[in-house]
Amino acid sequence: MRRPAPATSTANLVGQLVAHLLIYGNAYIGKYRENGKIERLSLIPPDRVRPVMESGQLSFQVSTDGGMVVCTEADVIHIRAMSTDGLMGLSPVAQARQILTLNKELAGHAVATFENGGRVSGVLKVPNTGKDQLDRLRASWEHGHSGASNAGKVAVLSGEISFEPLSMPLTDAQFLEQRKLSAVEVARIFRVPPWIIGAETGDSLTYSNTMEQADAFVKFALRPWLVVIEQALSNDRDLLPGQLYAEFLLDGLLRADPKTRAEIYEKALHPDTGWMTRDEVRTLENLETTNAST
């Protein structure tokens, strides 16, 4: 687990595993053996794996360049998100496909709007002119005045041509508000505080409420996924036999500010009512202990 594969750390493995869970709703860890002993752990692309339950036995059909290979739970660890059939997990992305599609459409709207100068330009009025002349006039106007780079230029018209600007409809003018809502929806899908992805929260952020939101992120967004991973790894007797189990230590993410920690340690070290030793405190603060055997 400390070195799952050559040039792969635990952080690399877990990071890719979480990405698979968020995108596909499933992650598959392949256990590669030499002489019956596990020598390497590597993730299998979820789009190449199909879990199958037959006669109460779970197997995995894995597509490879050479065809299909059938593996068992002795070869593959399946980590899945929330499931409706007990076999395949559902990713947050799949559950919110419509919302993400809306986000894409709004992005296209934004690009199209700003490529045309950020607003509807207007109407050129030309009396009794043929179609070819109108097409050339429109092309010339767009070349000289359309787009962000031409914003603010002075328009010069000759002859009996006149320009009548049009104001932007209210529905178009509000699309930026829709974009803000879309960013908040993305945060809601993955259960993260909006400020983490740069979305507006509507509230002023202070040190106090930022700390509270950071704690909420760890508890309600990050922790549920980590529990899924911990239990899947702990249930595999090849990796963690006997009483061994996997656990993510989140103390560093949830640790209080220095003043609060000092107050807690003072109580913990009280000679009559305390429950910790100095070496235990130093260990929590990632400091060398005075007792080499600790």
Side-chain angles (χ1 to χ4, degrees):
M1 294 298 296
R2 289 191 178 93
R3 190 182 181 189
T8 301
S9 66
T10 304
N12 296 145
L13 181 73
V14 173
Q16 187 181 357
L17 191 157
V18 172
H20 284 181
L21 284 174
L22 294 178
I23 297 173
Y24 297 97
N26 299 274
Y28 302 91
I29 302 178
K31 298 184 286 185
Y32 298 89
R33 304 173 186 267
E34 290 184 12
N35 300 321
K37 181 182 178 181
I38 298 176
E39 294 292 339
R40 181 166 61 92
L41 299 175
S42 182
L43 286 169
I44 306 172
D47 55 351
R48 292 193 173 191
V49 184
R50 179 172 174 263
V52 178
M53 183 70 73
E54 293 181 349
S55 302
Q57 296 295 320
L58 179 63
S59 62
F60 303 94
Q61 298 176 353
V62 183
S63 298
T64 65
D65 295 336
M68 186 184 73
V69 177
V70 178
C71 302
T72 67
E73 291 183 278
D75 308 304
V76 175
I77 302 174
H78 182 194
I79 305 173
R80 65 171 179 265
M82 181 185 69
S83 175
T84 57
D85 62 3
L87 285 177
M88 295 290 292
L90 298 174
S91 73
V93 175
Q95 297 175 43
R97 192 182 308 275
Q98 290 185 345
I99 294 176
L100 294 179
T101 301
L102 171 64
N103 189 27
K104 181 179 178 181
E105 291 173 353
L106 288 174
H109 184 194
V111 172
T113 300
F114 283 103
E115 281 182 349
N116 289 300
R119 61 181 179 85
V120 180
S121 300
V123 177
L124 287 174
K125 292 184 177 181
V126 184
N128 301 324
T129 304
K131 184 177 184 302
D132 292 341
Q133 288 179 307
L134 288 175
D135 289 342
R136 287 196 297 271
L137 180 60
R138 179 173 57 190
S140 176
W141 180 270
E142 290 179 348
H143 176 74
H145 301 284
S146 178
S149 61
N150 292 318
K153 284 187 175 180
V154 177
V156 179
L157 302 176
S158 62
E160 298 182 7
I161 303 174
S162 62
F163 176 74
E164 182 178 328
L166 297 179
S167 61
M168 177 179 287
L170 182 61
T171 53
D172 290 341
Q174 290 298 318
F175 91 98
L176 286 177
E177 293 298 325
Q178 298 172 9
R179 289 281 293 166
K180 293 177 184 177
L181 176 62
S182 179
V184 173
E185 289 293 342
V186 172
R188 183 177 294 118
I189 291 167
F190 294 100
R191 293 188 293 184
V192 301
W195 61 268
I196 285 185
I197 64 170
E200 290 193 9
T201 63
D203 301 319
S204 60
L205 292 178
T206 64
Y207 177 80
S208 177
N209 60 27
T210 300
M211 291 295 294
E212 291 177 357
Q213 291 189 47
D215 288 346
F217 165 69
V218 173
K219 294 176 182 177
F220 303 117
L222 188 59
R223 185 60 184 157
W225 290 109
L226 298 183
V227 169
V228 169
I229 299 171
E230 288 172 349
Q231 293 182 354
L233 295 178
S234 299
N235 288 338
D236 189 271
R237 295 297 88 185
D238 288 331
L239 294 182
L240 299 169
Q243 300 299 315
L244 296 177
Y245 61 92
E247 180 182 6
F248 290 96
L249 299 179
L250 302 178
D251 295 348
L253 295 175
L254 294 173
R255 68 189 306 175
D257 59 89
K259 180 176 181 296
T260 303
R261 294 204 309 275
E263 293 173 352
I264 294 173
Y265 292 150
E266 184 178 2
K267 294 179 180 179
L269 293 172
H270 192 278
D272 298 324
T273 59
W275 61 90
M276 297 180 70
T277 66
R278 289 185 177 274
D279 280 343
E280 289 172 335
V281 170
R282 294 181 66 85
T283 299
L284 291 177
E285 290 296 308
N286 199 28
L287 300 172
E288 291 186 1
T289 59
T290 57
N291 187 349
S293 62
T294 301

